[in-house]
Amino acid sequence: MTAGVGLQRARTAIVLLVAALALLSIWIANGRPLFYYDTAAYVKQGQAALAQLGLIHLPEGVAGDGTGGAAKATVDGSRSPVFAVLAGGFAAMGAIGGLLVLDLLALLLMVGLAVSVIRRTWMPGASGVRFGGLALIVASLGSLPFYVAYLMPDLLTPVLILAVAALAVFGSRMGPWELGLGYLLASFATVVHLSHLPIAILAVAAGVVLAWFTGRRGWWKGPAILVLVLLTAFAQQAAFRAVAAKAAHAEVTILPFLTARLIQDGPGQTWLAARCPDAGVATCLLWAELQKSDDPYRLTATHIVFEKGERLGSFQHLSEADRAAVSRDQITFAKSVVRTYPFAVAGAFLHNVGQQFARVSVVMTLPFDKVVAANTSVTEAMGGPLSIGRLGWPAPWADPLTRAQSVLYAATLGFLVALVVLPGALPREMRLFVLMVLAGILANAAVCGGISQPSDRYGSRVIWLLPFTAVLAGGVALRREP
């Protein structure tokens, strides 16, 4: 082995070590995983499903849905059954941390796939391992390591965005195994969270258009794979509903996030106030419940959907049958409100999307007392309690970190825009890849902020793609072959 080869291997080893430490830095610093309210809900839902299928045995009197074992006419489809089964399975084995390993593996495979195509196309002399490692190191200056340590499916949102971008733009350059891997990663990422399917639909729509602009022979290969991804996601939804109907004799319902959003924004309130009571409008059941308190906070989307207290609760106070009726009515309700107040709804939507772009703090990944309390029911199955680590509340470092990370995001966004706009700065396909990543971030903001609820968690889970993509695009700009 020559000295030059040995030096190259040493550099690669150093980059890999630094990248590994950067990705795992928050997990190491905290001393335990980060988690959220929904972590326990995923575990309970998954274990209930596994028990229903006879794959695990729950102790007598313990029900995965928290009902004490009573049969229900509805099944909550607001959480991904795929991620729930994974969470329930890992928890049953006392290895809940397996979720983090699985999410990280998906991320590394996706990064490796994208970097491999970029390197061999425009940077044949560069080391793909060091190039990808550097991109992950820079991304870890942002929110990335917080989501690597997070027992939720949020790390797979950027995996979905990268998969759609790579397949759409680089699909014609990929071999069969790369297209297959892209399909598997994109499909898996799409089915692990309720918000991921609409994000995928929006991103795939943009990807089909941008793929044509590559001007390459076989440009349709990537879009064809992406259509297959969507078909797979719809098939998973259909299978879930069929299994729920056959195994549990229950209807799958989705919590009325859209209804709550329209009520908080105002147009929904105005529409309901003008029409209720009306036995023909199921959402009037919710409106009647909302009139039992004069606290303005009862009209916020989160309280409408989840709150159980007397002062702020509403939807959760309804009977199971009435909750199902309100949930089924949300699309019809939304259409009626949009037809009646189109400009007010559009204005509120754009305002919420703008708010979502500004919400990039990692504070919602940090558990606090109520989050710990929400997870107490599944600690035995996990082989130990989920509790606050060294980075929990109070967190005096959170605001300074958010300001520093915001500067990083703004700088890298400006850098990416400059590379896209300046003539000759990037080859056409790389420009389109950058645009696709930005489109994915926009789709995330539109779905999560515009339709559901602007949230730091939703914004920060994808915003690290800006510095990550800036390294990829900057590397191509500096080292691409003529």
Side-chain angles (χ1 to χ4, degrees), residues 21 23-36 100 145-146 148-151 365-368 372 385-395 397:
L21 291 174
L23 288 170
L24 300 175
S25 58
I26 298 304
W27 195 355
I28 294 170
N30 191 50
R32 59 190 70 240
L34 303 174
F35 53 99
Y36 192 56
L100 303 182
F146 286 86
V148 169
Y150 200 36
L151 286 169
T365 65
L366 304 176
F368 49 92
V372 173
L386 288 179
S387 58
I388 297 174
R390 291 187 288 267
L391 299 180
W393 294 100
W397 49 267

Side-chain angles (χ1 to χ4, degrees), residues 198-273:
I199 290 172
I201 292 172
L202 293 175
V204 168
V208 170
V209 175
L210 292 184
W212 182 79
F213 280 103
T214 63
R216 285 183 54 82
R217 184 178 180 181
W219 65 269
W220 52 268
K221 292 181 182 179
I225 296 295
L226 292 176
V227 170
L228 184 59
V229 168
L230 294 183
L231 291 176
T232 301
F234 284 119
Q236 178 270 318
Q237 289 283 334
F240 175 45
R241 294 176 185 277
V243 170
K246 184 174 182 179
H249 307 290
E251 173 193 4
V252 175
T253 60
I254 304 296
L255 291 172
F257 298 112
L258 187 53
T259 296
R261 181 73 262 157
L262 289 167
I263 290 175
Q264 177 174 341
D265 288 340
Q269 290 185 49
T270 306
W271 193 93
L272 289 168

Side-chain angles (χ1 to χ4, degrees), residues 252-323:
V252 175
T253 60
I254 304 296
L255 291 172
F257 298 112
L258 187 53
T259 296
R261 181 73 262 157
L262 289 167
I263 290 175
Q264 177 174 341
D265 288 340
Q269 290 185 49
T270 306
W271 193 93
L272 289 168
R275 286 162 178 79
C276 296
D278 185 339
V281 179
T283 307
C284 283
L285 296 167
L286 174 61
W287 184 246
E289 197 65 38
L290 284 167
Q291 306 316 301
K292 295 181 179 180
S293 169
D294 59 0
D295 192 315
Y297 284 102
R298 80 194 188 285
L299 297 173
T300 59
T302 301
H303 288 123
I304 290 172
V305 175
F306 296 111
E307 180 62 43
K308 297 181 180 180
E310 288 300 318
R311 185 168 54 88
L312 298 176
S314 53
F315 178 74
Q316 295 295 334
H317 291 175
L318 299 174
S319 68
E320 183 184 358
D322 287 348
R323 289 198 302 270

Side-chain angles (χ1 to χ4, degrees), residues 35-47:
F35 53 99
Y36 192 56
Y37 289 108
D38 284 356
T39 300
Y42 276 115
V43 170
K44 289 188 286 185
Q45 180 177 325
Q47 290 189 334

Side-chain angles (χ1 to χ4, degrees), residues 326-385:
V326 171
S327 296
R328 284 193 298 266
D329 189 48
Q330 63 180 314
I331 299 301
T332 301
F333 170 70
K335 290 179 180 177
S336 298
V337 174
V338 171
R339 282 195 299 265
T340 307
Y341 306 108
F343 296 109
V345 172
F349 174 79
L350 293 174
H351 172 74
N352 293 332
V353 172
Q355 273 201 328
Q356 184 60 78
F357 270 117
R359 303 287 293 269
V360 296
S361 172
V362 297
V363 292
M364 287 187 69
T365 65
L366 304 176
F368 49 92
D369 291 341
K370 288 185 178 180
V371 175
V372 173
N375 284 270
T376 56
S377 61
V378 293
T379 52
E380 281 189 7
M382 292 181 179

